[in-house]
Amino acid sequence: MTALHLRGVLLPGHDEVDLWVSDGVLRTTPVPGAETVVRKGFLVPGLADAHCHVGLGPRGPIELEDAAAQAEADRDAGTLLIRDCGVPIDNSPLQERADLPRIIRAGRHLVRPKRYLPAVGVELEDEEQLPAAVAEQAERGDGWVKLVGDWIDRSVGDLAPLWSADVLAEAVRTAHDKGARVTAHVFGADTIDGLLAAGVDCIEHGTGVTDAAIAAMAARGVALVPTLINIEHFPDIAARAHRYPTYAAHMRAMHAVVDQRIGAAIEAGVPVYAGTDAGGLVEHGRIVDEIVALHRVGMSRTDAIGAASWAARSWLGVQDPDVVDGAPADLVVYDGDPRLDLDVLRTPVRLILRGAVVG
Ligand SMILES: [Zn+2]
């Protein structure tokens, strides 16, 4: 593989620097024979989508070939790292393709019958099966397990937890014993509290997060991936749920305060990361829209970029933000300074992934 040379302003926290790329990693000292591919610009560690689904379409599971096209759409938008938050197909063959984003898989969603989208999750007839199912997904995935925490219970007519407290606590312990982190899809306040009590590592969506939950998350470093561009669909979901007026009202009420709630979490120091939730209602390739949304709810522009770049990459264990020499050579290059104008992120001029130019 040809060695590369780049000159530009490296985010975060550097002025103009010269960087070299060889053997898939960054070097701060010259590499003989390197080809100069960037002479001027802003160099951002590869964007990270902390919540999307490569292999899930609006109507359920899709073919691997179509999943590859989803990953390509993400890459072309600058996303070079994906935490796949649960898919019904085995997308691990895509991890072999050097031109596609790095994918950290959470295996399949763990759900109960009729308590999630049909044909997506592993449906457990008895909740007591959860710890064993967690163990199985922990073996198959890349260090993450995904649970569905709450969903509409049609017999109640509102959101309700899928699991009781002791089962959840045992499930989280099982995952941790296997070295995996646990994340959970959750909308409502009651279920968030139960998940936090069980010791989960991350909350997905988290629209109902209370001040007490925010304080607990900040104290323990529990992450939040709010998927704000997906929450925009809540009014549509409510409109279609006319048979369940309590649920519809609940969804509308959470939608009405989501900016304020996620803003409060950011303010309190909860680690918040960018996730698009692409693969369901959201198209792939929209990471910049989520960065813009995080800025709207209170993150500085620089922190919002970090939430989809260096901070997320560090949280996901891909790179140490304080180390340049030897870091994975995943960079997105822009002509302008995205810290001054987030729309700059919509037009990457170069994509470097695993040390090679891929766009
Ligand atoms: Zn999702």
Side-chain angles (χ1 to χ4, degrees):
M1 192 186 290
T2 320
L4 307 176
H5 165 245
L6 307 88
R7 174 176 292 172
V9 175
L10 175 65
L11 271 56
H14 297 267
D15 294 327
E16 193 165 69
V17 294
D18 285 285
L19 288 176
W20 289 265
V21 173
S22 70
D23 300 321
V25 298
L26 299 178
R27 301 287 179 204
T28 53
T29 50
V31 175
E35 179 194 348
T36 299
V37 290
V38 176
R39 289 192 163 76
K40 189 176 188 306
F42 291 80
L43 315 177
V44 178
L47 300 185
D49 188 337
H51 180 143
C52 78
H53 306 275
V54 177
L56 181 62
R59 280 170 298 282
I62 61 171
E63 298 295 325
L64 190 63
E65 182 185 327
D66 299 320
Q70 293 181 329
E72 286 168 2
D74 291 323
R75 176 201 62 203
D76 294 346
T79 295
L80 303 184
L81 172 64
I82 287 168
R83 184 180 58 144
D84 186 293
C85 250
V87 272
I89 68 165
D90 177 13
N91 61 14
S92 63
L94 302 181
Q95 294 175 310
E96 308 299 318
R97 273 187 53 181
D99 65 319
L100 293 182
R102 297 176 196 269
I103 302 177
I104 294 172
R105 296 169 306 121
R108 293 188 63 186
H109 299 74
L110 297 175
V111 306
R112 307 213 50 207
K114 300 191 196 317
R115 297 297 302 284
Y116 195 55
L117 302 166
V120 174
V122 177
E123 298 186 355
L124 306 180
E125 292 290 337
D126 181 342
E127 69 161 348
E128 302 289 338
Q129 296 170 294
L130 184 65
V134 161
E136 189 185 347
Q137 295 303 321
E139 300 278 354
R140 290 187 181 176
D142 302 319
W144 283 93
V145 175
K146 171 78 179 288
L147 312 176
V148 172
D150 67 359
W151 196 255
I152 185 172
D153 180 338
R154 289 172 178 80
S155 68
V156 175
D158 197 359
L159 289 172
L162 271 66
W163 321 98
S164 50
D166 52 341
V167 165
L168 266 184
E170 195 191 333
V172 174
R173 260 197 312 276
T174 302
H176 289 173
D177 286 348
K178 293 208 165 274
R181 291 188 270 184
V182 179
T183 194
H185 161 110
V186 55
F187 294 150
D190 297 346
T191 304
I192 294 174
D193 290 345
L195 289 162
L196 293 175
V200 297
D201 303 281
C202 182
I203 294 286
E204 309 296 322
H205 319 299
T207 40
V209 72
T210 60
D211 287 343
I214 287 171
M217 292 173 75
R220 290 189 6 229
V222 178
L224 173 62
V225 182
T227 69
L228 291 166
I229 61 172
N230 194 21
I231 305 308
E232 289 168 14
H233 294 102
F234 274 23
D236 297 336
I237 294 170
R240 285 197 301 273
H242 45 83
R243 286 168 60 202
Y244 304 100
T246 306
Y247 168 74
H250 195 170
M251 296 295 278
R252 286 194 184 94
M254 290 193 296
H255 177 259
V257 297
V258 64
D259 284 12
Q260 192 276 335
R261 289 287 78 207
I262 305 305
I266 292 165
E267 176 79 29
V270 174
V272 173
Y273 301 104
T276 61
D277 212 357
L281 298 170
V282 175
E283 291 283 318
H284 282 262
R286 292 192 55 199
I287 189 68
V288 179
D289 291 329
E290 184 66 19
I291 296 171
V292 168
L294 289 170
H295 175 54
R296 180 190 78 217
V297 304
M299 274 193 177
S300 70
R301 280 190 292 268
T302 300
D303 286 350
I305 300 165
S309 174
W310 54 88
R313 292 173 66 86
S314 168
W315 173 61
L316 292 170
V318 172
Q319 80 183 82
D320 179 339
D322 300 325
V323 175
V324 176
D325 203 50
D330 299 353
L331 291 170
V332 189
V333 184
Y334 302 97
D335 276 338
D337 188 344
R339 294 169 299 185
L340 305 178
D341 177 5
L342 292 175
D343 280 331
V344 163
L345 298 168
R346 296 190 188 282
T347 47
V349 294
R350 267 277 186 260
L351 302 171
I352 293 165
L353 174 59
R354 299 181 177 92
V357 176
V358 296

